Amino acid sequence: MKTLKPVDWIPAQADDAVPGHLRILDQTLLPSETVFIETTDQEAIWHAIKILQVRGAPAIGVTAAMGVAAAAQDQRAGTIEDVRDAVDRAADYLATSRPTAVNLFWALDRMRRAAHASSAASGEALACELVREAIAVRDEDLAMCRAIGEHGAALLKDGDTVLTHCNAGGLATSGYGTALAPVYVAQEEGKRVSVYADETRPLLQGARLTTWELMEAGVDVTLICDNMAAQVMKEGRIDIVFVGADRIAANGDAANKIGTYGVALLAKAHGIPFYVLAPTSTIDPDAVTGAEIPIEERGAEEITEGFGRRTAPEAVKVYAPAFDVTPAELITGIITEDGVHNPGSLPL
Ligand code: MRU
């Protein structure tokens, strides 16, 4: 399967990871333009996460890890303490970019711990270790997504149709995605699987990204507006729902893109299995229930003048939560790299 990588570490020379820089695919411009941001600048990396040039919980985590690695690399001529200070500053700063996807904080903590636990002999050696750690975060994410795909594909029969919400595909991870990974694996196994993609108001990740990457991969995909999902289910067009997650609480409640909770209620009403697919790095054992998951609120303009045209009166009051929490009782199963779990008995 070949999709564009949402974020990667590009070494200046093929034989050594340091020096190198981040290459971020600007997803705000998809599907019409393919533009990459090449940077090591902390503000540019923060901004890329904030405005969703790179988005999707696992890809945000990989970007954050690489951002910290870039900060370490910039200090590599200094002492070990200089590099550790740079890591702490970068981790504190990048943590303020978006609140809901726990993979961001998971990756920042991992980089911070690696910096402080290292017995590297110099600033240069420590910076190299941290760049390798960030690359490992990327590679492990790819392996987890592949495993999620294999577990999920076992639930798909030849001819099945999946409904998905937002984009939890290759563009949201290091490859394969989470919710879309079973579709890609099933395709590799020779099963014919079709997808209905909710467009996902207000930022249209479903319309702009999910349809695009599935079409690139040759998967049969049909775009619907979010408010069509009930009718499409009632018409018997959907066999199974697969969605991703930004943070899963210890009791199995799962936060994902706004609208997911509604899809789960619809699936329940129509007797359609509803699965959440995510790597274990998306499980937050510190959040006992979904009520403890912070929900990002975004700017009103994303609703009132998304993509440049005003579609609501000036000064209208707007409420714009970017995520919602699906209660565990609406979730048939949570699929991680370890297998299919009952939402009430997650590997914590
Ligand atoms: O605001 P976004 O586009 O970052 O939201 C993305 C989602 O909600 C995804 O479903 C989730 O991060 C899982 S990505 C594998």
Side-chain angles (χ1 to χ4, degrees):
M1 195 212 56
K2 184 178 95 25
T3 50
L4 289 173
K5 290 197 176 97
V7 57
D8 209 358
W9 182 263
I10 309 298
Q13 280 156 11
D15 56 348
D16 206 348
V18 177
H21 68 269
L22 284 84
R23 174 178 289 164
I24 296 171
L25 172 62
D26 184 350
Q27 297 189 34
T28 63
L29 301 176
L30 287 175
S32 34
E33 283 175 76
T34 305
V35 174
F36 292 93
I37 300 153
E38 315 268 354
T39 190
T40 56
D41 179 68
Q42 294 298 305
E43 281 182 25
I45 296 164
W46 185 94
H47 184 73
I49 297 172
K50 180 75 183 173
I51 70 162
L52 278 61
Q53 287 172 317
V54 61
R55 31 70 50 205
I60 291 172
V62 174
T63 306
M66 290 183 175
V68 171
Q73 171 183 272
D74 281 353
Q75 286 299 317
R76 70 189 185 282
T79 64
I80 289 175
E81 277 321 306
D82 291 337
V83 174
R84 286 190 178 133
D85 287 348
V87 165
D88 290 340
R89 271 197 310 277
D92 288 345
Y93 175 55
L94 294 174
T96 64
S97 56
R98 292 189 76 188
T100 303
V102 76
N103 310 58
L104 171 69
F105 307 97
W106 172 90
L108 294 174
D109 281 354
R110 175 166 164 171
M111 294 301 290
R112 213 192 283 263
R113 271 188 279 113
H116 288 274
S118 168
S119 50
S122 65
E124 172 86 27
L126 178 55
C128 290
E129 276 181 19
L130 292 171
V131 169
R132 282 198 293 274
E133 186 75 11
I135 291 171
V137 171
R138 177 199 68 192
D139 293 346
E140 289 167 25
D141 180 55
L142 179 60
M144 288 191 286
C145 288
R146 170 77 209 185
I148 289 169
E150 285 169 9
H151 297 304
L155 300 171
L156 294 174
K157 298 184 303 301
D158 187 43
D160 271 356
T161 301
V162 176
L163 180 116
T164 192
H165 189 75
C166 194
N167 173 264
L171 288 169
T173 65
S174 300
Y176 284 101
T178 58
L180 298 189
V183 174
Y184 293 128
V185 172
Q187 185 190 41
E188 285 172 21
E189 292 170 351
K191 294 180 199 161
R192 285 167 301 121
V193 173
S194 308
V195 176
Y196 274 76
D198 286 347
E199 72 173 345
T200 318
R201 278 276 290 157
L203 294 181
L204 307 186
Q205 289 92 332
R208 296 186 300 107
L209 308 175
T210 297
T211 59
W212 180 79
E213 70 162 86
L214 288 172
M215 289 170 77
E216 289 283 303
V219 175
D220 176 53
V221 56
T222 304
L223 175 64
I224 56 171
C225 299
D226 300 328
N227 51 9
M228 295 172 186
Q231 180 64 16
V232 168
M233 288 184 185
K234 193 172 163 195
E235 290 173 9
R237 293 171 186 264
I238 306 300
D239 297 295
I240 196 164
V241 178
F242 284 159
V243 297
D246 287 81
R247 193 185 293 230
I248 301 174
N251 73 340
D253 294 348
N256 191 48
K257 179 53 55 192
I258 191 76
T260 303
Y261 174 34
V263 175
L265 288 166
L266 294 176
K268 180 85 170 177
H270 293 90
I272 297 169
F274 178 96
Y275 287 90
V276 171
L277 299 92
T280 44
S281 52
T282 303
I283 300 173
D284 179 2
D286 295 332
V288 178
T289 74
E292 290 169 44
I293 298 176
I295 300 294
E296 178 181 19
E297 275 187 51
R298 296 201 53 95
E301 68 289 349
E302 291 180 357
I303 294 178
T304 58
E305 51 194 302
F307 304 97
R309 181 171 182 273
R310 193 150 189 106
T311 51
E314 294 286 348
V316 67
K317 276 202 296 183
V318 171
Y319 174 49
F323 297 94
D324 58 27
V325 176
T326 300
E329 60 266 25
L330 294 178
I331 301 172
T332 312
I334 295 181
I335 305 179
T336 70
E337 67 274 18
D338 305 324
V340 184
H341 307 279
N342 183 310
S345 49
L346 289 175
L348 296 173

